């Protein structure tokens, strides 16, 4: 089964989307290529990516969740902020994925042999601000703790493109031991706000995959609403978990005020 499709976004950036609708990004320079995330770990994403580029290929994981990290098992050179090590060891494990994914009807026809194996290598740490030179194209990794403690946003300098990924979007999830509080998350977003003059395009890994630049300011406003007691109070179920949502939404989770950007959070994160 072919689990992947792709779309060229620019001379150096290609979006790769798996059959569940999650995407990752291939960034190519003159000397190297980098895969930013690896989707859910179905099939062999390395074999697919190598049909798109002939450059030596390595992996940078934006964070350690189940729908971003598992496909790294096919690679030797894999980077991850070590704040997410505990998380990735759980979420990328084959046993965890089999348990989680097999309960979803859309995955029940997938042969177990097509679930990629466990990663047996060593995750190389990423520092805030670290640059990766691909040859004429560079990626700067910016730490943005919030969704997870190790959350990173890649800035492709020459393309003036930043990949917010799951770090800032239409419904950022803050819950459990691996997420920040809203106040800590706000500080991360304010740091990203200080480099807004360095990018024009925002890419994400889910949904529409792109967002307007006002997204960041809108999500900061959501943080303020929660911290100042002005949040909607509306509850919503996602992944079987009950969340509060900062700004009220309709049944399709579109904000009632027409803006884009929201935060789903559990009560313990509202501080």
């Amino acid at each position: 089964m072919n689990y992947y499709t792709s779309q060229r976004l620019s001379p150096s950036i290609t979006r790769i989307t798996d059959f569940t609708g999650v995407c990752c990004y291939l960034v190519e320079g003159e000397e190297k290529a980098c895969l930013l995330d690896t989707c859910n770990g179905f099939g062999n994403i390395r074999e697919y990516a190598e049909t798109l580029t002939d450059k030596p290929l390595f992996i940078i994981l934006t964070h350690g969740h189940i729908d971003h990290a598992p496909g790294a098992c096919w690679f030797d050179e894999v980077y991850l902020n070590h704040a997410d090590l505990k998380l990735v060891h759980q979420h990328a494990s084959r046993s965890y994925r089999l348990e989680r994914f097999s309960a979803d009807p859309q995955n029940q026809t997938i042969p177990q042999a097509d679930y990629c194996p466990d990663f047996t290598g060593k995750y190389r740490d990423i520092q805030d601000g670290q640059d990766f030179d691909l040859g004429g194209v560079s990626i700067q990794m910016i730490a943005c703790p919030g969704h997870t403690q190790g959350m990173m946003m890649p800035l492709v300098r020459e393309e003036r493109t930043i990949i917010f990924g799951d770090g800032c979007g239409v419904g950022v999830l803050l819950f459990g031991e691996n997420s920040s509080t809203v106040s800590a998350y706000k500080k991360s977003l304010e740091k990203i706000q200080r480099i807004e003059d360095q990018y024009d395009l925002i890419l994400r890994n889910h949904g529409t995959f792109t967002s307007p630049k006002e997204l960041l300011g809108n999500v900061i406003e959501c943080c303020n609403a929660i911290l100042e007691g002005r949040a909607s109070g509306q509850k919503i179920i996602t992944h079987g978990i009950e969340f509060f949502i900062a700004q009220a939404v309709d049944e399709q989770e579109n904000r009632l005020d027409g803006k884009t950007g929201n935060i789903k959070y559990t009560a313990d994160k509202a501080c």
Side-chain angles (χ1 to χ4, degrees), residues 3-7 9 13-26 35-41 45 60-63 65 67-69 163-166 202-210:
Y3 293 102
Y4 302 100
T5 58
S6 61
Q7 178 186 6
L9 304 182
I13 301 177
T14 299
R15 178 185 294 124
I16 298 174
T17 307
D18 79 4
F19 80 105
T20 72
V22 174
C23 83
C24 61
Y25 294 93
L26 175 69
L35 197 59
L36 297 167
D37 288 342
T38 61
C39 300
N40 284 287
I45 196 169
I60 297 176
L61 299 174
T62 62
H63 64 296
H65 273 152
D67 52 344
H68 295 262
I163 299 171
F164 276 9
D166 288 7
I202 293 171
L203 299 177
R204 298 183 291 104
N205 295 102
H206 302 275
T208 61
F209 300 138
T210 62

mmCIF file of all heavy atoms in Angstrom, residues 3-7 9 13-26 35-41 45 60-63 65 67-69 163-166 202-210:
data_model
loop_
_atom_site.group_PDB
_atom_site.id
_atom_site.type_symbol
_atom_site.label_atom_id
_atom_site.label_comp_id
_atom_site.label_asym_id
_atom_site.label_seq_id
_atom_site.Cartn_x
_atom_site.Cartn_y
_atom_site.Cartn_z
ATOM 1 N N TYR A 3 1.304 4.763 1.237
ATOM 2 C CA TYR A 3 0.735 5.543 2.330
ATOM 3 C C TYR A 3 0.930 7.045 2.164
ATOM 4 O O TYR A 3 0.396 7.825 2.956
ATOM 5 C CB TYR A 3 1.361 5.107 3.662
ATOM 6 C CG TYR A 3 0.983 3.701 4.058
ATOM 7 C CD1 TYR A 3 1.868 2.642 3.886
ATOM 8 C CD2 TYR A 3 -0.275 3.429 4.593
ATOM 9 C CE1 TYR A 3 1.514 1.353 4.252
ATOM 10 C CE2 TYR A 3 -0.643 2.142 4.953
ATOM 11 C CZ TYR A 3 0.257 1.108 4.780
ATOM 12 O OH TYR A 3 -0.093 -0.175 5.134
ATOM 13 N N TYR A 4 1.689 7.487 1.157
ATOM 14 C CA TYR A 4 2.103 8.887 1.078
ATOM 15 C C TYR A 4 1.814 9.522 -0.275
ATOM 16 O O TYR A 4 1.862 8.868 -1.317
ATOM 17 C CB TYR A 4 3.605 9.015 1.380
ATOM 18 C CG TYR A 4 3.969 8.462 2.735
ATOM 19 C CD1 TYR A 4 4.520 7.183 2.856
ATOM 20 C CD2 TYR A 4 3.730 9.194 3.891
ATOM 21 C CE1 TYR A 4 4.829 6.659 4.102
ATOM 22 C CE2 TYR A 4 4.037 8.683 5.137
ATOM 23 C CZ TYR A 4 4.581 7.420 5.236
ATOM 24 O OH TYR A 4 4.882 6.894 6.465
ATOM 25 N N THR A 5 1.538 10.818 -0.235
ATOM 26 C CA THR A 5 1.482 11.658 -1.420
ATOM 27 C C THR A 5 2.325 12.896 -1.131
ATOM 28 O O THR A 5 2.703 13.146 0.022
ATOM 29 C CB THR A 5 0.044 12.083 -1.758
ATOM 30 O OG1 THR A 5 -0.509 12.790 -0.634
ATOM 31 C CG2 THR A 5 -0.819 10.873 -2.089
ATOM 32 N N SER A 6 2.614 13.680 -2.171
ATOM 33 C CA SER A 6 3.458 14.859 -1.951
ATOM 34 C C SER A 6 3.019 16.008 -2.826
ATOM 35 O O SER A 6 2.347 15.824 -3.852
ATOM 36 C CB SER A 6 4.923 14.529 -2.221
ATOM 37 O OG SER A 6 5.120 14.126 -3.558
ATOM 38 N N GLN A 7 3.432 17.209 -2.407
ATOM 39 C CA GLN A 7 3.137 18.430 -3.148
ATOM 40 C C GLN A 7 4.324 19.370 -3.006
ATOM 41 O O GLN A 7 4.725 19.707 -1.882
ATOM 42 C CB GLN A 7 1.872 19.108 -2.607
ATOM 43 C CG GLN A 7 1.519 20.416 -3.285
ATOM 44 C CD GLN A 7 0.345 21.111 -2.626
ATOM 45 O OE1 GLN A 7 -0.155 20.681 -1.585
ATOM 46 N NE2 GLN A 7 -0.107 22.192 -3.223
ATOM 47 N N LEU A 9 5.959 22.753 -2.714
ATOM 48 C CA LEU A 9 5.493 24.066 -2.302
ATOM 49 C C LEU A 9 6.384 25.184 -2.808
ATOM 50 O O LEU A 9 5.926 26.320 -2.997
ATOM 51 C CB LEU A 9 5.398 24.141 -0.777
ATOM 52 C CG LEU A 9 4.527 23.092 -0.086
ATOM 53 C CD1 LEU A 9 4.516 23.342 1.417
ATOM 54 C CD2 LEU A 9 3.108 23.096 -0.637
ATOM 55 N N ILE A 13 11.027 23.237 -0.666
ATOM 56 C CA ILE A 13 10.123 22.645 0.323
ATOM 57 C C ILE A 13 9.052 21.813 -0.370
ATOM 58 O O ILE A 13 8.369 22.277 -1.283
ATOM 59 C CB ILE A 13 9.450 23.721 1.204
ATOM 60 C CG1 ILE A 13 10.496 24.554 1.948
ATOM 61 C CG2 ILE A 13 8.496 23.061 2.208
ATOM 62 C CD1 ILE A 13 9.902 25.680 2.773
ATOM 63 N N THR A 14 8.906 20.557 0.090
ATOM 64 C CA THR A 14 7.853 19.654 -0.382
ATOM 65 C C THR A 14 7.055 19.153 0.812
ATOM 66 O O THR A 14 7.633 18.750 1.828
ATOM 67 C CB THR A 14 8.457 18.446 -1.125
ATOM 68 O OG1 THR A 14 9.182 18.903 -2.266
ATOM 69 C CG2 THR A 14 7.373 17.480 -1.580
ATOM 70 N N ARG A 15 5.740 19.198 0.692
ATOM 71 C CA ARG A 15 4.880 18.635 1.736
ATOM 72 C C ARG A 15 4.615 17.174 1.422
ATOM 73 O O ARG A 15 4.214 16.825 0.304
ATOM 74 C CB ARG A 15 3.561 19.392 1.823
ATOM 75 C CG ARG A 15 2.600 18.811 2.877
ATOM 76 C CD ARG A 15 1.253 19.498 2.848
ATOM 77 N NE ARG A 15 1.354 20.884 3.254
ATOM 78 C CZ ARG A 15 0.950 21.909 2.520
ATOM 79 N NH1 ARG A 15 0.437 21.700 1.311
ATOM 80 N NH2 ARG A 15 1.060 23.141 2.966
ATOM 81 N N ILE A 16 4.832 16.287 2.399
ATOM 82 C CA ILE A 16 4.504 14.869 2.290
ATOM 83 C C ILE A 16 3.351 14.597 3.246
ATOM 84 O O ILE A 16 3.446 14.902 4.439
ATOM 85 C CB ILE A 16 5.712 13.982 2.648
ATOM 86 C CG1 ILE A 16 6.865 14.231 1.667
ATOM 87 C CG2 ILE A 16 5.315 12.499 2.642
ATOM 88 C CD1 ILE A 16 8.146 13.497 2.036
ATOM 89 N N THR A 17 2.276 14.027 2.728
ATOM 90 C CA THR A 17 1.078 13.779 3.530
ATOM 91 C C THR A 17 0.785 12.286 3.566
ATOM 92 O O THR A 17 0.811 11.629 2.522
ATOM 93 C CB THR A 17 -0.133 14.527 2.942
ATOM 94 O OG1 THR A 17 0.197 15.914 2.778
ATOM 95 C CG2 THR A 17 -1.343 14.402 3.859
ATOM 96 N N ASP A 18 0.517 11.758 4.757
ATOM 97 C CA ASP A 18 0.164 10.339 4.830
ATOM 98 C C ASP A 18 -1.347 10.169 4.694
ATOM 99 O O ASP A 18 -2.095 11.149 4.620
ATOM 100 C CB ASP A 18 0.744 9.673 6.083
ATOM 101 C CG ASP A 18 -0.030 9.938 7.370
ATOM 102 O OD1 ASP A 18 -1.100 10.588 7.345
ATOM 103 O OD2 ASP A 18 0.436 9.490 8.439
ATOM 104 N N PHE A 19 -1.804 8.915 4.633
ATOM 105 C CA PHE A 19 -3.201 8.657 4.300
ATOM 106 C C PHE A 19 -4.164 9.101 5.394
ATOM 107 O O PHE A 19 -5.371 9.224 5.145
ATOM 108 C CB PHE A 19 -3.399 7.160 4.003
ATOM 109 C CG PHE A 19 -3.512 6.304 5.229
ATOM 110 C CD1 PHE A 19 -4.738 5.794 5.629
ATOM 111 C CD2 PHE A 19 -2.401 6.023 6.008
ATOM 112 C CE1 PHE A 19 -4.853 5.009 6.767
ATOM 113 C CE2 PHE A 19 -2.502 5.240 7.131
ATOM 114 C CZ PHE A 19 -3.726 4.729 7.518
ATOM 115 N N THR A 20 -3.665 9.398 6.598
ATOM 116 C CA THR A 20 -4.533 9.886 7.667
ATOM 117 C C THR A 20 -4.750 11.383 7.589
ATOM 118 O O THR A 20 -5.583 11.925 8.313
ATOM 119 C CB THR A 20 -3.954 9.546 9.053
ATOM 120 O OG1 THR A 20 -2.804 10.374 9.309
ATOM 121 C CG2 THR A 20 -3.580 8.082 9.159
ATOM 122 N N GLY A 21 -3.967 12.075 6.758
ATOM 123 C CA GLY A 21 -4.085 13.525 6.643
ATOM 124 C C GLY A 21 -3.048 14.302 7.416
ATOM 125 O O GLY A 21 -3.064 15.539 7.406
ATOM 126 N N VAL A 22 -2.124 13.617 8.075
ATOM 127 C CA VAL A 22 -1.004 14.276 8.758
ATOM 128 C C VAL A 22 0.121 14.495 7.751
ATOM 129 O O VAL A 22 0.366 13.638 6.890
ATOM 130 C CB VAL A 22 -0.492 13.410 9.924
ATOM 131 C CG1 VAL A 22 0.757 14.018 10.559
ATOM 132 C CG2 VAL A 22 -1.582 13.245 10.972
ATOM 133 N N CYS A 23 0.808 15.631 7.848
ATOM 134 C CA CYS A 23 1.891 15.878 6.909
ATOM 135 C C CYS A 23 3.216 16.138 7.618
ATOM 136 O O CYS A 23 3.269 16.386 8.822
ATOM 137 C CB CYS A 23 1.552 17.054 5.991
ATOM 138 S SG CYS A 23 1.894 18.682 6.677
ATOM 139 N N CYS A 24 4.282 16.065 6.829
ATOM 140 C CA CYS A 24 5.612 16.480 7.253
ATOM 141 C C CYS A 24 6.227 17.229 6.073
ATOM 142 O O CYS A 24 5.602 17.335 5.010
ATOM 143 C CB CYS A 24 6.464 15.292 7.689
ATOM 144 S SG CYS A 24 6.760 14.049 6.411
ATOM 145 N N TYR A 25 7.427 17.766 6.247
ATOM 146 C CA TYR A 25 8.011 18.613 5.215
ATOM 147 C C TYR A 25 9.432 18.178 4.884
ATOM 148 O O TYR A 25 10.256 17.957 5.778
ATOM 149 C CB TYR A 25 8.005 20.076 5.661
ATOM 150 C CG TYR A 25 6.599 20.623 5.780
ATOM 151 C CD1 TYR A 25 5.925 20.593 7.003
ATOM 152 C CD2 TYR A 25 5.933 21.111 4.669
ATOM 153 C CE1 TYR A 25 4.624 21.063 7.113
ATOM 154 C CE2 TYR A 25 4.621 21.583 4.763
ATOM 155 C CZ TYR A 25 3.980 21.556 5.986
ATOM 156 O OH TYR A 25 2.688 22.003 6.079
ATOM 157 N N LEU A 26 9.699 18.053 3.592
ATOM 158 C CA LEU A 26 11.025 17.763 3.079
ATOM 159 C C LEU A 26 11.654 19.075 2.628
ATOM 160 O O LEU A 26 11.078 19.793 1.800
ATOM 161 C CB LEU A 26 10.927 16.789 1.903
ATOM 162 C CG LEU A 26 12.230 16.468 1.157
ATOM 163 C CD1 LEU A 26 13.164 15.657 2.043
ATOM 164 C CD2 LEU A 26 11.930 15.711 -0.129
ATOM 165 N N LEU A 35 14.166 15.889 6.462
ATOM 166 C CA LEU A 35 12.747 15.608 6.642
ATOM 167 C C LEU A 35 12.350 16.115 8.021
ATOM 168 O O LEU A 35 12.891 15.663 9.039
ATOM 169 C CB LEU A 35 12.490 14.111 6.507
ATOM 170 C CG LEU A 35 11.047 13.655 6.275
ATOM 171 C CD1 LEU A 35 10.482 14.275 5.005
ATOM 172 C CD2 LEU A 35 10.974 12.140 6.205
ATOM 173 N N LEU A 36 11.447 17.088 8.035
ATOM 174 C CA LEU A 36 10.957 17.667 9.281
ATOM 175 C C LEU A 36 9.705 16.904 9.691
ATOM 176 O O LEU A 36 8.627 17.113 9.149
ATOM 177 C CB LEU A 36 10.652 19.155 9.092
ATOM 178 C CG LEU A 36 11.857 20.037 8.732
ATOM 179 C CD1 LEU A 36 11.390 21.410 8.270
ATOM 180 C CD2 LEU A 36 12.818 20.151 9.908
ATOM 181 N N ASP A 37 9.882 15.970 10.638
ATOM 182 C CA ASP A 37 8.864 15.026 11.107
ATOM 183 C C ASP A 37 8.698 13.865 10.122
ATOM 184 O O ASP A 37 9.235 13.895 8.997
ATOM 185 C CB ASP A 37 7.528 15.701 11.405
ATOM 186 C CG ASP A 37 7.583 16.557 12.660
ATOM 187 O OD1 ASP A 37 8.514 16.372 13.466
ATOM 188 O OD2 ASP A 37 6.693 17.411 12.836
ATOM 189 N N THR A 38 7.947 12.834 10.564
ATOM 190 C CA THR A 38 7.882 11.595 9.790
ATOM 191 C C THR A 38 6.493 10.961 9.776
ATOM 192 O O THR A 38 6.358 9.782 9.474
ATOM 193 C CB THR A 38 8.877 10.565 10.365
ATOM 194 O OG1 THR A 38 8.515 10.267 11.735
ATOM 195 C CG2 THR A 38 10.309 11.067 10.315
ATOM 196 N N CYS A 39 5.458 11.738 10.140
ATOM 197 C CA CYS A 39 4.071 11.241 10.144
ATOM 198 C C CYS A 39 3.897 10.092 11.145
ATOM 199 O O CYS A 39 4.588 10.035 12.157
ATOM 200 C CB CYS A 39 3.631 10.876 8.743
ATOM 201 S SG CYS A 39 3.693 12.258 7.569
ATOM 202 N N ASN A 40 2.987 9.163 10.843
ATOM 203 C CA ASN A 40 2.526 8.179 11.822
ATOM 204 C C ASN A 40 3.315 6.871 11.867
ATOM 205 O O ASN A 40 3.054 6.029 12.717
ATOM 206 C CB ASN A 40 1.063 7.830 11.536
ATOM 207 C CG ASN A 40 0.107 8.918 11.975
ATOM 208 O OD1 ASN A 40 -0.135 9.117 13.147
ATOM 209 N ND2 ASN A 40 -0.463 9.633 11.003
ATOM 210 N N GLY A 41 4.218 6.678 10.929
ATOM 211 C CA GLY A 41 5.012 5.449 10.970
ATOM 212 C C GLY A 41 4.393 4.272 10.242
ATOM 213 O O GLY A 41 4.660 3.120 10.597
ATOM 214 N N ILE A 45 8.694 5.610 5.116
ATOM 215 C CA ILE A 45 8.723 6.986 4.616
ATOM 216 C C ILE A 45 10.072 7.330 4.011
ATOM 217 O O ILE A 45 10.174 8.201 3.147
ATOM 218 C CB ILE A 45 8.324 7.988 5.718
ATOM 219 C CG1 ILE A 45 7.987 9.348 5.078
ATOM 220 C CG2 ILE A 45 9.408 8.094 6.792
ATOM 221 C CD1 ILE A 45 7.340 10.321 6.022
ATOM 222 N N ILE A 60 14.805 15.778 11.387
ATOM 223 C CA ILE A 60 14.600 16.620 12.561
ATOM 224 C C ILE A 60 13.151 16.442 12.994
ATOM 225 O O ILE A 60 12.234 16.626 12.188
ATOM 226 C CB ILE A 60 14.864 18.107 12.278
ATOM 227 C CG1 ILE A 60 16.317 18.341 11.879
ATOM 228 C CG2 ILE A 60 14.525 18.946 13.507
ATOM 229 C CD1 ILE A 60 16.614 19.789 11.486
ATOM 230 N N LEU A 61 12.947 16.067 14.235
ATOM 231 C CA LEU A 61 11.602 15.923 14.793
ATOM 232 C C LEU A 61 11.233 17.192 15.551
ATOM 233 O O LEU A 61 11.985 17.635 16.423
ATOM 234 C CB LEU A 61 11.530 14.717 15.734
ATOM 235 C CG LEU A 61 11.837 13.359 15.090
ATOM 236 C CD1 LEU A 61 11.873 12.267 16.162
ATOM 237 C CD2 LEU A 61 10.817 13.013 14.013
ATOM 238 N N THR A 62 10.076 17.764 15.228
ATOM 239 C CA THR A 62 9.648 18.969 15.937
ATOM 240 C C THR A 62 9.229 18.666 17.363
ATOM 241 O O THR A 62 9.360 19.517 18.244
ATOM 242 C CB THR A 62 8.478 19.662 15.212
ATOM 243 O OG1 THR A 62 7.345 18.774 15.164
ATOM 244 C CG2 THR A 62 8.880 20.057 13.799
ATOM 245 N N HIS A 63 8.741 17.448 17.592
ATOM 246 C CA HIS A 63 8.409 16.989 18.950
ATOM 247 C C HIS A 63 8.165 15.487 18.901
ATOM 248 O O HIS A 63 8.282 14.870 17.836
ATOM 249 C CB HIS A 63 7.212 17.751 19.528
ATOM 250 C CG HIS A 63 5.903 17.568 18.813
ATOM 251 N ND1 HIS A 63 5.690 17.966 17.509
ATOM 252 C CD2 HIS A 63 4.714 17.043 19.245
ATOM 253 C CE1 HIS A 63 4.442 17.703 17.165
ATOM 254 N NE2 HIS A 63 3.834 17.130 18.196
ATOM 255 N N HIS A 65 5.515 13.341 19.539
ATOM 256 C CA HIS A 65 4.207 12.693 19.527
ATOM 257 C C HIS A 65 4.076 11.599 18.458
ATOM 258 O O HIS A 65 4.803 11.569 17.464
ATOM 259 C CB HIS A 65 3.103 13.730 19.331
ATOM 260 C CG HIS A 65 2.641 14.343 20.621
ATOM 261 N ND1 HIS A 65 2.107 15.612 20.700
ATOM 262 C CD2 HIS A 65 2.623 13.851 21.893
ATOM 263 C CE1 HIS A 65 1.780 15.876 21.953
ATOM 264 N NE2 HIS A 65 2.072 14.823 22.689
ATOM 265 N N ASP A 67 2.133 10.983 16.026
ATOM 266 C CA ASP A 67 1.867 11.288 14.625
ATOM 267 C C ASP A 67 2.969 12.126 13.975
ATOM 268 O O ASP A 67 2.781 12.658 12.867
ATOM 269 C CB ASP A 67 0.512 11.995 14.484
ATOM 270 C CG ASP A 67 0.367 13.203 15.396
ATOM 271 O OD1 ASP A 67 1.163 13.337 16.348
ATOM 272 O OD2 ASP A 67 -0.556 14.016 15.161
ATOM 273 N N HIS A 68 4.113 12.214 14.632
ATOM 274 C CA HIS A 68 5.235 12.996 14.099
ATOM 275 C C HIS A 68 6.560 12.237 14.103
ATOM 276 O O HIS A 68 7.391 12.456 13.227
ATOM 277 C CB HIS A 68 5.403 14.289 14.894
ATOM 278 C CG HIS A 68 4.252 15.223 14.762
ATOM 279 N ND1 HIS A 68 4.233 16.292 13.902
ATOM 280 C CD2 HIS A 68 3.033 15.224 15.375
ATOM 281 C CE1 HIS A 68 3.068 16.913 13.988
ATOM 282 N NE2 HIS A 68 2.321 16.275 14.870
ATOM 283 N N ALA A 69 6.759 11.357 15.076
ATOM 284 C CA ALA A 69 8.087 10.789 15.308
ATOM 285 C C ALA A 69 8.336 9.364 14.818
ATOM 286 O O ALA A 69 9.496 9.014 14.575
ATOM 287 C CB ALA A 69 8.398 10.853 16.815
ATOM 288 N N ILE A 163 7.628 26.736 10.214
ATOM 289 C CA ILE A 163 6.706 25.613 10.410
ATOM 290 C C ILE A 163 6.265 25.628 11.870
ATOM 291 O O ILE A 163 6.997 25.221 12.764
ATOM 292 C CB ILE A 163 7.369 24.286 10.009
ATOM 293 C CG1 ILE A 163 7.738 24.348 8.521
ATOM 294 C CG2 ILE A 163 6.423 23.106 10.283
ATOM 295 C CD1 ILE A 163 8.591 23.210 8.050
ATOM 296 N N PHE A 164 5.070 26.151 12.086
ATOM 297 C CA PHE A 164 4.506 26.154 13.437
ATOM 298 C C PHE A 164 4.176 24.739 13.884
ATOM 299 O O PHE A 164 4.188 24.442 15.065
ATOM 300 C CB PHE A 164 3.239 27.011 13.480
ATOM 301 C CG PHE A 164 3.472 28.486 13.656
ATOM 302 C CD1 PHE A 164 4.742 29.033 13.595
ATOM 303 C CD2 PHE A 164 2.398 29.336 13.899
ATOM 304 C CE1 PHE A 164 4.950 30.396 13.756
ATOM 305 C CE2 PHE A 164 2.587 30.696 14.067
ATOM 306 C CZ PHE A 164 3.865 31.223 13.996
ATOM 307 N N GLY A 165 3.842 23.867 12.919
ATOM 308 C CA GLY A 165 3.504 22.492 13.267
ATOM 309 C C GLY A 165 2.349 22.447 14.246
ATOM 310 O O GLY A 165 1.318 23.081 14.065
ATOM 311 N N ASP A 166 2.539 21.702 15.335
ATOM 312 C CA ASP A 166 1.535 21.623 16.399
ATOM 313 C C ASP A 166 1.771 22.680 17.474
ATOM 314 O O ASP A 166 1.045 22.741 18.465
ATOM 315 C CB ASP A 166 1.570 20.248 17.056
ATOM 316 C CG ASP A 166 1.011 19.154 16.158
ATOM 317 O OD1 ASP A 166 0.719 19.433 14.990
ATOM 318 O OD2 ASP A 166 0.890 18.007 16.637
ATOM 319 N N ILE A 202 3.376 30.677 7.158
ATOM 320 C CA ILE A 202 3.246 29.741 8.275
ATOM 321 C C ILE A 202 2.713 28.423 7.744
ATOM 322 O O ILE A 202 1.673 28.382 7.081
ATOM 323 C CB ILE A 202 2.284 30.291 9.351
ATOM 324 C CG1 ILE A 202 2.878 31.529 10.033
ATOM 325 C CG2 ILE A 202 1.970 29.219 10.395
ATOM 326 C CD1 ILE A 202 1.894 32.250 10.938
ATOM 327 N N LEU A 203 3.434 27.337 8.055
ATOM 328 C CA LEU A 203 2.984 25.990 7.711
ATOM 329 C C LEU A 203 2.663 25.217 8.976
ATOM 330 O O LEU A 203 3.276 25.425 10.029
ATOM 331 C CB LEU A 203 4.068 25.253 6.918
ATOM 332 C CG LEU A 203 4.480 25.869 5.582
ATOM 333 C CD1 LEU A 203 5.619 25.059 4.959
ATOM 334 C CD2 LEU A 203 3.298 25.950 4.622
ATOM 335 N N ARG A 204 1.694 24.306 8.873
ATOM 336 C CA ARG A 204 1.337 23.432 9.991
ATOM 337 C C ARG A 204 1.294 21.979 9.508
ATOM 338 O O ARG A 204 1.505 21.709 8.323
ATOM 339 C CB ARG A 204 -0.012 23.864 10.587
ATOM 340 C CG ARG A 204 0.012 25.276 11.167
ATOM 341 C CD ARG A 204 -1.301 25.701 11.820
ATOM 342 N NE ARG A 204 -2.357 25.876 10.838
ATOM 343 C CZ ARG A 204 -3.353 25.022 10.623
ATOM 344 N NH1 ARG A 204 -3.439 23.905 11.342
ATOM 345 N NH2 ARG A 204 -4.272 25.260 9.716
ATOM 346 N N ASN A 205 1.005 21.036 10.401
ATOM 347 C CA ASN A 205 1.026 19.611 10.057
ATOM 348 C C ASN A 205 -0.354 18.982 9.947
ATOM 349 O O ASN A 205 -0.467 17.802 9.632
ATOM 350 C CB ASN A 205 1.837 18.828 11.091
ATOM 351 C CG ASN A 205 3.298 19.207 11.088
ATOM 352 O OD1 ASN A 205 3.741 19.956 11.948
ATOM 353 N ND2 ASN A 205 4.057 18.713 10.125
ATOM 354 N N HIS A 206 -1.398 19.750 10.209
ATOM 355 C CA HIS A 206 -2.761 19.201 10.206
ATOM 356 C C HIS A 206 -3.713 20.183 9.521
ATOM 357 O O HIS A 206 -3.377 21.343 9.285
ATOM 358 C CB HIS A 206 -3.253 18.953 11.638
ATOM 359 C CG HIS A 206 -2.393 18.035 12.438
ATOM 360 N ND1 HIS A 206 -2.519 16.663 12.398
ATOM 361 C CD2 HIS A 206 -1.367 18.286 13.293
ATOM 362 C CE1 HIS A 206 -1.629 16.109 13.201
ATOM 363 N NE2 HIS A 206 -0.913 17.082 13.756
ATOM 364 N N GLY A 207 -4.905 19.696 9.212
ATOM 365 C CA GLY A 207 -5.964 20.563 8.712
ATOM 366 C C GLY A 207 -5.634 21.204 7.382
ATOM 367 O O GLY A 207 -5.301 20.534 6.408
ATOM 368 N N THR A 208 -5.679 22.530 7.336
ATOM 369 C CA THR A 208 -5.429 23.280 6.104
ATOM 370 C C THR A 208 -3.941 23.392 5.790
ATOM 371 O O THR A 208 -3.574 23.813 4.692
ATOM 372 C CB THR A 208 -6.006 24.694 6.209
ATOM 373 O OG1 THR A 208 -5.373 25.379 7.302
ATOM 374 C CG2 THR A 208 -7.514 24.650 6.454
ATOM 375 N N PHE A 209 -3.081 23.075 6.764
ATOM 376 C CA PHE A 209 -1.614 23.085 6.621
ATOM 377 C C PHE A 209 -0.997 24.481 6.557
ATOM 378 O O PHE A 209 0.219 24.611 6.679
ATOM 379 C CB PHE A 209 -1.143 22.293 5.400
ATOM 380 C CG PHE A 209 -1.523 20.852 5.414
ATOM 381 C CD1 PHE A 209 -1.989 20.240 4.260
ATOM 382 C CD2 PHE A 209 -1.411 20.085 6.563
ATOM 383 C CE1 PHE A 209 -2.330 18.896 4.247
ATOM 384 C CE2 PHE A 209 -1.754 18.742 6.567
ATOM 385 C CZ PHE A 209 -2.217 18.146 5.407
ATOM 386 N N THR A 210 -1.768 25.518 6.318
ATOM 387 C CA THR A 210 -1.239 26.881 6.292
ATOM 388 C C THR A 210 -2.121 27.784 7.140
ATOM 389 O O THR A 210 -3.299 27.482 7.378
ATOM 390 C CB THR A 210 -1.174 27.444 4.866
ATOM 391 O OG1 THR A 210 -2.497 27.516 4.319
ATOM 392 C CG2 THR A 210 -0.295 26.590 3.968
#
